[in-house]
Amino acid sequence: MTEALTPEAPVISDAAGTAGQAPENPAAGRVPLTPEELEAAVHAIADRSRKAARRLGQANRAWKDRALRAIGTALLANRKHVLEANAKDVAVGRANGTSAALLDRLTLTPERIDGLVAALENLAGLPDPVGNVVRGQTLPNGLRLRQVNVPMGVVAAIYEARPNVTVDIAGLALKSGNAVILRGGSAAANTNEALVRILRDALDSVGLPADAVQTVDQYGREGANVLMRARGRVDVLIPRGGRELIQTVVTNSSVPVIETGEGNVHIFIDESADEEMAVEILLNAKTQRPSVCNTVETLLVHSGSKVLPAVAAALRKAGVTLHVDDRIAAALGNGVETVPADDHDWATEYMDLDLAVAMVDSLDDAVKHIRKWTTGHTEAILTNNLANAERFIAEIDSAAVIVNASTRFTDGGELGLGAEVGISTQKLHARGPMGLTELTTTKWIVQGEGQVRG
Amino acid sequence: MTEALTPEAPVISDAAGTAGQAPENPAAGRVPLTPEELEAAVHAIADRSRKAARRLGQANRAWKDRALRAIGTALLANRKHVLEANAKDVAVGRANGTSAALLDRLTLTPERIDGLVAALENLAGLPDPVGNVVRGQTLPNGLRLRQVNVPMGVVAAIYEARPNVTVDIAGLALKSGNAVILRGGSAAANTNEALVRILRDALDSVGLPADAVQTVDQYGREGANVLMRARGRVDVLIPRGGRELIQTVVTNSSVPVIETGEGNVHIFIDESADEEMAVEILLNAKTQRPSVCNTVETLLVHSGSKVLPAVAAALRKAGVTLHVDDRIAAALGNGVETVPADDHDWATEYMDLDLAVAMVDSLDDAVKHIRKWTTGHTEAILTNNLANAERFIAEIDSAAVIVNASTRFTDGGELGLGAEVGISTQKLHARGPMGLTELTTTKWIVQGEGQVRG
């Protein structure tokens, strides 16, 4: 599941000179390039990426898995070097007054590196999405038809100061036969430089093209902008990070984008919901990991339900600040501490131990509230009423609609996808948790023996 | 299959005042709106479209099919009125010096209206893509998981002077549960106004929301621009027309776009290709319907093949102009009339009785030529060599790759999709012929009895 940053200006800075590969122009990062030179340099990277993608696209699963394991081995062998590079970035971040949350995302530890290696090993154990036959038939005229998954080709990722994404997205791209171009931001420049070098060396060590992993970090913000406009050269762009980063990419990109992550998630407690279930699910959905996108942010309670006091008390006891409307405040009375909510609260993805709570008089009102404020990620209903469950499923237009379970299940791993590229909140191509297959496209293969069209 | 126009400036004009519905602002089309008023007016249309989409998304197949048949009945009942409106547009086009090809696309005839009605009847006979279960399982913790197809919601179409698209795309959107916003261009203004009114009345007559079909033609070019930037309000934008129209939409849109249509299609005649098969396939692929996107535009001939004279003679006899490189000219000698080809020819989608022909010395050289010039639509190999067939399939990255059959088969109808929205030449969401399913997205439905995440 994608961890979103707290909203903050996108970390697309002008810092340069941290390439994981030799720049085309040796002056890059020292002497400012003209816009034309910069565009040519980024296009050259994309063109090398295309070449690498063609070789990678022909590699069988065993070969790709060998590369994933070689990366894991190299990460462990170079752990000290990576941690030293990371310490430099963290020190710079601290000196610049970076927030504790951001510093936490920026920081690698020996255990986090172990986690990256374990994820690579997990990836190596997954089936190859490439070559999967989506559908096929023999047509009346004898033509044999197959639609098969093939790699996208060149995948670009733009993300903020999270060096784990460098390894994560490179591994996912590699397994699905894609070359990847990374833009990881200046805050993690030293770490990413070290990681990209390890990735490239590991690819090379198993005979796959090192250019399957490249970065444009050395070309700063302008490099990222060229990448976003490189339609035709880049097949898909995946931004990972906070709202502003994603909006910047969506607005400026002519390359097709898969939007991920923002989750203003709702739970509606219907009149018939069971109290114990409601308490357990709310505690899980709000407090198990509040900083992630599938955590609940607004609770809607049916005015006929009796479970509010127990749910509110349990959440308070768990340290959750309740931002409530007037009716909830009145219903709870003085026994439970609350703060007043306004429209800002209905719109906010707190990603913290905060929950907006509103009272509604019907399923219709709950649906209306959700339609107004949702980001289309995940919504849940807690109910014992079959008709209401069916209506909620039919009328809520979100990537995941859940009945009587925690919203924390909207996650590629939990839903059995094996690995997760992110959670798409758009409708095109992929919606909800994205697995490896969502990093592929399809190709129609038609085989005949001379058929022509009548 | 999509018929592409000959390249020409996109017909997104400033003409106004041809709404199929009452404009929000009665002054629209007469007094120029401020940019803010115009944006508000187009957004209001999109918001009505969203409401209509929610109702339509809940309609079952029988209801939607009733609407499709009601549209057909109304088209037949109003045929005279539609033809009169169309005659006005054709007269204006003729007076403005519109090309014969464009006038042909613009013109409706009684037979073409019959064709539209037959297509609607065909659509009514197809299964409903909505509600189809893509995959599902019961997870180890007992959660029941289903991924189902659901409508996109609001689909917008921007197209050129082809009034048939108005009925065609509205029918496809309706069947897949989507509301549609049309931008059909000023050249077909009278025809589209008449058609949109018929579509809306027919929807209303069966109790479905008329606002499921709306147009922004009354707001001219600026209205189209607002539509392209209405990300969040419009779920997907489908441009249909020539290269410049599609490029304009791709470049200016922040709404996700499905790019359709451009086909610089190649056939490679390998050394081992059968002569008779090569002649028949080339004749079919070039001359059966030269103006469409799956017609062949470049022929590559292996230097070791002996079939060139027979193929060239047959094509010449069928009236095809052969634009050839020096080696082909030398091989054909004086017996066959040719014209010299240059890079312009390799890049051109003639859509006419013209064919570029080059000689290559190997499969590698053929692949190299195709990679350089293809639009990624369809490529075919004619061969009797299994290894070469496999390599061509693996190495050519186009929406459709064909072995020993005509390129004209890249078509939703021919490939068994039932109906065709267009042929996508992009990799995201849909690639190749798009059927009704490609106008849907998916929703994950998770049902439990109190499960929380461990």
Side-chain angles (χ1 to χ4, degrees), chain A residues 1 50 54 58 135 137 139 141 143 145 150 152 229 231 235-236 250-251 256-259 277 280-281 284 288 294 371 393-396 398-406 408-409 411 414-415 417 426-429 431 433 438 441-454, chain B residues 1 50 54 58 135 137 139 141 143 145 150 152 229 231 235-236 250-251 256-259 277 280-281 284 288 294 371 393-396 398-406 408-409 411 414-415 417 426-429 431 433 438 441-454:
Chain A
M1 165 196 40
R50 176 71 59 200
R54 284 180 180 146
Q58 304 303 319
R135 50 184 164 180
Q137 62 172 314
L139 297 172
N141 58 7
L143 284 178
L145 178 64
V150 295
M152 286 277 179
R229 308 297 297 175
R231 192 176 174 105
D235 295 304
V236 61
V250 162
T251 309
V257 172
I258 299 180
E259 203 176 330
M277 188 192 289
E280 280 189 34
I281 287 176
N284 186 258
Q288 197 205 22
N294 58 18
R371 283 180 173 170
I393 289 171
E395 294 180 18
I396 293 297
S398 295
V401 185
I402 295 179
V403 179
N404 293 335
S406 172
R408 293 269 297 118
F409 285 111
D411 173 281
E414 293 294 321
L415 299 187
L417 299 185
Q426 71 179 33
K427 294 182 180 175
L428 216 67
H429 184 69
R431 196 178 193 206
E438 281 71 28
T441 181
T442 59
K443 179 195 279 189
W444 292 87
I445 299 169
V446 184
Q447 293 184 268
E449 43 279 315
Q451 284 87 340
V452 296
R453 191 162 159 186
Chain B
M1 167 195 38
R50 176 71 58 198
R54 285 180 179 145
Q58 304 303 317
R135 52 183 161 180
Q137 62 171 314
L139 297 173
N141 59 7
L143 284 177
L145 179 64
V150 296
M152 284 277 180
R229 306 297 298 177
R231 191 176 174 106
D235 295 304
V236 61
V250 163
T251 308
V257 171
I258 300 179
E259 203 175 331
M277 187 192 290
E280 280 190 34
I281 287 176
N284 186 259
Q288 197 204 24
N294 58 19
R371 285 181 172 169
I393 289 172
E395 294 180 18
I396 293 297
S398 295
V401 184
I402 296 179
V403 178
N404 292 336
S406 173
R408 293 269 296 120
F409 285 112
D411 173 282
E414 292 294 320
L415 298 188
L417 300 184
Q426 69 180 34
K427 294 184 180 175
L428 216 66
H429 185 70
R431 197 176 192 207
E438 281 71 29
T441 180
T442 60
K443 180 195 278 191
W444 291 87
I445 299 169
V446 184
Q447 293 184 269
E449 42 280 312
Q451 284 86 340
V452 296
R453 190 161 160 189

